[in-house]
Amino acid sequence: MSGLIEQYGALTGWLLVLGQVGLFTLVLSLSIAFLLLLDRKVWAAVMMRKGPNVVGPFGLMQSFSDFGKFLLKEIIIPAGANKTVFLLAPILTLTLAFAAWAAIPVAPGWVISDLNVGILYLFAISSLGVYGIIMGGWASNSKYPFLGSLRSAAQMVSYEVSIGLIIVTVILLAGSMNLSDIVNAQDGGLFTWHLFTLEHVLMLPVMVVAFVMFFVSALAETNRPPFDLPEAESELVAGYQVEYSATPYLLFMFGEYLNIVLMCAMMALLFMGGWHGPVPMGADFVNMFPAWIVNLGHLAWFMAKLVFFFFLFALVKAVVPRYRYDQLMRLGWKIFLPTALAAVVIVGGYVVYAGVQA
């Protein structure tokens, strides 16, 4: 962004920056609409039914129909609720969910803010995200939403620790906290990706275990089944958002899906080479095309990986039964945390004693 301001001047530069942010937000929002449809189609296929197929061709407009319904419905606020906090909570949740995407590169140079400490920025934003849920549960002035928000806070904090330690292993191998640098460190084909690395072949079992733990922790971090305990309908009616309706409810759900897709993007960037394909393209071949066409190809690879991981998220929801809350906490603190700590020690020792150049 600073480059545009320096190149075109303050006013024009800022207008271009705002245009880029607006375009990115629009494309991301449209992507969420179709990924939500994919989510519902996967559940339907597992249950041997068709799923949404009436609104638009093949049901493609179903998400937009639901969006319109939420916008037009009446906003109902419980009589005993703190109205200011009640309405602020979903806005905060959605704002932080969008803000996290500012540091996500989708192709070479295609990122809103290419932060040198992009990983730390994502940690900060994800840590703040729990406040929206706590505020919503508390402001509803009802026991069930409050219990759901407390569960969510404990769950997100528990699994953020494991996710943070797993990301440290990737940082050690890549030698940078900049997400673009982490992706470029995996340039060279399938076997340079951290999940399939042969360059650091001794670390291959560690990275496979780290990836599996990251995937499971991402399910818990985003309150997805089988870890959707804050929204356990059989126990809490519907969790922290039970008192919400219409647009505020939509904001909560939109923020939740933005976080789910963010985790899919993180898995692609950290473990699967980001925008790089499984077969490296030679410089001579790449130079045959304009830069924007090459970047569209990179974007296509990134989106393909993101959709694949989102498909796995949907499949897990459809086929895995829900955990009990004590099982969820035991998994996070007694299994994932010690294993993630061991992975950091092993990778750190490898980087130091094997002379890996960061």
Side-chain angles (χ1 to χ4, degrees), residues 9-67:
L11 178 60
T12 306
W14 275 111
L15 289 175
L16 289 173
V17 168
L18 292 175
Q20 287 182 343
V21 173
L23 178 62
F24 187 88
T25 303
L26 175 63
V27 173
L28 181 59
S29 300
L30 292 175
S31 300
I32 294 294
F34 291 111
L35 286 171
L36 176 57
L37 179 65
L38 171 65
D39 210 7
R40 299 171 71 176
K41 285 286 190 181
V42 171
W43 306 339
V46 172
M47 299 173 188
M48 298 181 69
R49 55 185 177 83
K50 292 183 178 180
N53 65 339
V54 175
V55 184
F58 309 107
L60 290 175
M61 302 302 291
Q62 182 65 53
S63 296
F64 300 98
S65 174
D66 294 338
F67 177 77

Side-chain angles (χ1 to χ4, degrees), residues 135-200:
M135 289 165 60
W138 176 81
S140 297
N141 194 29
S142 174
K143 292 183 177 66
Y144 289 118
F146 187 57
L147 286 172
S149 65
L150 290 179
R151 279 187 173 190
S152 184
Q155 181 172 325
M156 293 175 75
V157 168
S158 300
Y159 283 88
E160 275 178 7
V161 176
S162 298
I163 286 178
L165 291 171
I166 292 165
I167 293 177
V168 169
T169 64
V170 175
I171 293 173
L172 288 171
L173 287 180
S176 175
M177 287 192 289
N178 181 291
L179 286 166
S180 297
D181 291 344
I182 291 173
V183 173
N184 289 328
Q186 302 173 74
D187 184 15
L190 178 67
F191 297 111
T192 60
W193 297 354
H194 288 141
L195 184 56
F196 307 106
T197 180
L198 291 183
E199 180 183 2
H200 308 293

Side-chain angles (χ1 to χ4, degrees), residues 194-256:
H194 288 141
L195 184 56
F196 307 106
T197 180
L198 291 183
E199 180 183 2
H200 308 293
V201 67
L202 294 176
M203 293 297 100
L204 181 58
V206 177
M207 298 312 294
V208 170
V209 172
F211 170 76
V212 173
M213 288 197 300
F214 191 98
F215 179 76
V216 177
S217 298
L219 291 171
E221 175 78 6
T222 55
N223 297 331
R224 288 284 288 190
F227 307 119
D228 58 335
L229 280 307
E231 304 167 11
E233 293 87 350
S234 60
E235 307 160 33
L236 298 177
V237 184
Y240 60 87
Q241 82 280 32
V242 68
E243 300 290 351
Y244 283 86
S245 62
T247 306
Y249 178 83
L250 172 67
L251 298 183
F252 264 132
M253 291 298 99
F254 199 0
E256 185 173 303

Side-chain angles (χ1 to χ4, degrees), residues 172-173 203 344-358:
L172 288 171
L173 287 180
M203 293 297 100
V344 171
V345 172
I346 293 169
V347 175
Y350 169 77
V351 169
V352 172
Y353 293 108
V356 176
Q357 296 296 319

